[in-house]
Amino acid sequence: MKQFFSSVFLLLTVSSALFAQEKAKGIVYEDVNKNGKKDKKEKVLSNVLVSNGVDVVATNKKGMYELPITNDAPIFVIKPAGYQFPLDGFNLPKFYYLHKPQGSPQSKYAGVQPTGNLPKSVDFALVPAKESNSFTAFAFGDPQAYTKEEIEYFINGVIKDVDKSKAVFGISLGDLVGDDLSLQPDYKEAIKQIGLPWYNVMGNHDMNYDAKIDEHSDETYELNFGPNNFSFNYGKVHFIILDNILYPDPRDGKSYWGGLREDQLKFIENDLKFVPKDHLVVLSFHIPLEDNNNEWFRVADRERLFDLLKDHPNTLSLSAHTHIQQQIFYGKDKGWKQEKAHHEYNVGTTSGDWYSGEMNAQGVPASTMRDGTPKGYALIHFDGNKYKVDYKVAGKSQEYQINVFAPKAVLKAEKSRHFVYANVFMGTPTDEVLYSINDGEWKKMNFADEGDPHYESTFYKWDVSEQAVKGRRPSKSMKSTHLWSAKIPTNLGVGTHKVKVKATDMYGKIHYGSTEYKITE
């Protein structure tokens, strides 16, 4: 009998050891002198959120937290409003600790080295900062450089165009590089030049393609940028950064698919429990939520995400990936649970059409996108829980918001077969777009469900030129979601005639553009 009880005790002891889960502990404190350690006079911070990528807990009165931890998990602090993260040498926020005792799995590109035993205390510093409820953030789509030369195109074409006084931080929405993960440090050096805190999203071209499971597709990304799922607050805005790429594609084990894992959805659920309902929730990810008959994005995941957001009336999503610019709205027909549709701004890319086209005045490829949007970046203006968006064309003035295209010269005739086109870069199909000839009456233009003829005229040059054209041939055009057209008269007097265009966008802002055409006998 004694031997029996001894065996049972031993079994229970072993079982307890097997099921006991290691826990991360630490404090969050106010690092007033920014030396990276808690000094005696510096206070601890209560009610600050800390997460392990799934669970979210608040620090107690002593500034302490405790979280269960696995052998492959991040621990990160969720910045409250009124504080800033310390920054590393690249202006990237220092808000996390990666716990990988064994390090990353072996891969073509380096991952995280073994971190060893969990420290007794994983502490996080926050720096007090004045934050206004009215602020602006930059949003970059797909820098996606495949070579060091393209990194230079990114610097000379976009980075040098940025006026850092216009915003308080920036976000790059994935595809930071183009498959060659050894270029991620070069990207960091480039983004450092802006001189602002910068957040990053993982894209499908930032992954370890030799990963066997999705959880291991971000190992090199983690080495260079940290967790690819996290959140932070600024003013009355709550930002959630997500990796929404499933790799390998769970349908066939090849390529990738847009979607979210169960642990990510659980993190979002736990995170949103602490977000006031009157705050704006901004989701930043790479692949648009548009499903395209379930091919682009897993519909079930989008429906679950929308269900988690159903009690938050103020929301915005930011995405990239498509190398076009479009405004997408999700109504109840697409699973949105509120009366007002959810707005996703699919941001134009900083690489444009993958650094294609002829060299422009900046000495870099023009790289106009396939829908006729010039390459550039966005400025998201926040005011409390409201927002407005501007698009900045790289190398142009902020006023350049419409490209107007018409024939250069036409023959005088009673009946016209010639059109003027207006590509309104931030437009939606329901916007009002008007035109006038020679400062005459404003008339309505018609939404054009077609490709931009100005863009098409540029890439056909590679096909009709007798001499080989330098630069990469641009991609085939695709339908634009912000293009309008109208017939121009050809029965006017011989000479030059001016076409003006006036567009009112979804925020009520009015933009102007113009061009000229000539009538000859």
Side-chain angles (χ1 to χ4, degrees), residues 7 132 155 172 182 202 240 258 260 298 324 389 408 465 494:
S7 299
S132 171
I155 293 171
S172 288
S182 68
M202 191 173 99
I240 303 177
L260 297 164
R298 190 160 62 183
I324 60 172
V389 180
K408 294 183 182 299
S465 174
V494 171

Side-chain angles (χ1 to χ4, degrees), residues 238 240 268-275 281 308-309 312:
H238 184 70
I240 303 177
I268 298 167
E269 179 182 3
N270 291 330
D271 179 68
L272 288 174
K273 291 175 183 177
F274 296 92
V275 179
V281 177
L308 295 174
L309 293 166
H312 292 268

Side-chain angles (χ1 to χ4, degrees), residues 420-475:
V420 59
Y421 284 85
N423 194 323
V424 185
F425 310 139
M426 282 295 296
T428 66
T430 58
D431 291 347
E432 180 184 67
V433 181
L434 308 173
Y435 78 106
S436 73
I437 305 294
N438 297 328
D439 295 317
E441 177 188 359
W442 287 107
K443 297 180 181 180
K444 185 177 180 180
M445 299 186 76
N446 299 311
F447 179 73
D449 188 24
E450 58 184 290
D452 183 337
H454 176 256
Y455 176 73
E456 291 174 349
S457 72
T458 61
F459 78 75
Y460 280 129
K461 181 176 182 178
W462 270 255
D463 303 324
V464 300
S465 174
E466 294 289 340
Q467 301 292 326
V469 181
K470 290 184 178 180
R472 182 184 301 158
R473 183 187 188 274
S475 303

Side-chain angles (χ1 to χ4, degrees), residues 221-447:
Y221 180 93
E222 283 190 320
L223 169 67
N224 288 303
F225 304 101
N228 53 10
N229 300 282
F230 62 95
S231 62
F232 64 96
N233 298 280
Y234 198 108
K236 294 189 72 173
V237 186
H238 184 70
F239 294 87
I240 303 177
I241 309 295
L242 295 170
D243 160 23
N244 72 341
I245 308 138
L246 301 173
Y247 180 83
D249 187 331
R251 295 170 295 186
D252 58 10
K254 303 174 183 177
S255 192
Y256 60 87
W257 192 16
L260 297 164
R261 299 190 308 266
E262 181 64 31
D263 59 297
Q264 295 175 291
L265 289 163
K266 197 66 181 174
F267 166 67
I268 298 167
E269 179 182 3
N270 291 330
D271 179 68
L272 288 174
K273 291 175 183 177
F274 296 92
V275 179
K277 297 298 189 292
D278 66 332
H279 283 206
L280 173 65
V281 177
V282 176
L283 305 168
S284 298
F285 41 74
H286 183 61
I287 297 180
L289 301 175
E290 188 74 272
D291 57 272
N292 193 32
N293 296 319
N294 215 32
E295 284 300 310
W296 292 355
F297 200 90
R298 190 160 62 183
V299 175
D301 297 348
R302 187 180 73 191
E303 290 178 345
R304 288 190 62 188
L305 177 63
F306 285 176
D307 191 55
L308 295 174
L309 293 166
K310 69 180 186 299
D311 296 325
H312 292 268
N314 307 297
T315 59
L316 168 67
S317 286
L318 301 174
S319 62
H321 183 61
T322 60
H323 292 261
I324 60 172
Q325 181 154 268
Q326 56 186 330
Q327 314 296 332
I328 306 172
F329 295 92
Y330 301 91
K332 290 186 176 180
D333 59 323
K334 294 187 177 180
W336 186 244
K337 305 297 192 296
Q338 301 179 40
E339 291 300 321
K340 182 182 177 182
H342 175 66
H343 176 208
E344 177 182 336
Y345 173 32
N346 187 220
V347 183
T349 56
T350 52
S351 61
D353 181 54
W354 295 276
Y355 301 104
S356 66
E358 294 184 279
M359 293 294 184
N360 63 14
Q362 296 170 291
V364 301
S367 201
T368 301
M369 286 172 265
R370 295 168 292 166
D371 65 343
T373 305
K375 75 170 181 290
Y377 50 93
L379 294 91
I380 321 291
H381 309 292
F382 299 98
D383 186 8
N385 60 13
K386 306 300 180 186
Y387 68 90
K388 294 181 179 180
V389 180
D390 281 327
Y391 185 68
K392 174 66 170 66
V393 174
K396 300 288 186 179
S397 73
Q398 184 63 57
E399 286 67 42
Y400 180 51
Q401 296 293 316
I402 307 173
N403 184 60
V404 184
F405 176 72
K408 294 183 182 299
V410 300
L411 289 174
K412 185 175 177 65
E414 286 301 315
K415 291 186 178 181
S416 174
R417 301 186 68 180
H418 298 282
F419 286 80
V420 59
Y421 284 85
N423 194 323
V424 185
F425 310 139
M426 282 295 296
T428 66
T430 58
D431 291 347
E432 180 184 67
V433 181
L434 308 173
Y435 78 106
S436 73
I437 305 294
N438 297 328
D439 295 317
E441 177 188 359
W442 287 107
K443 297 180 181 180
K444 185 177 180 180
M445 299 186 76
N446 299 311
F447 179 73

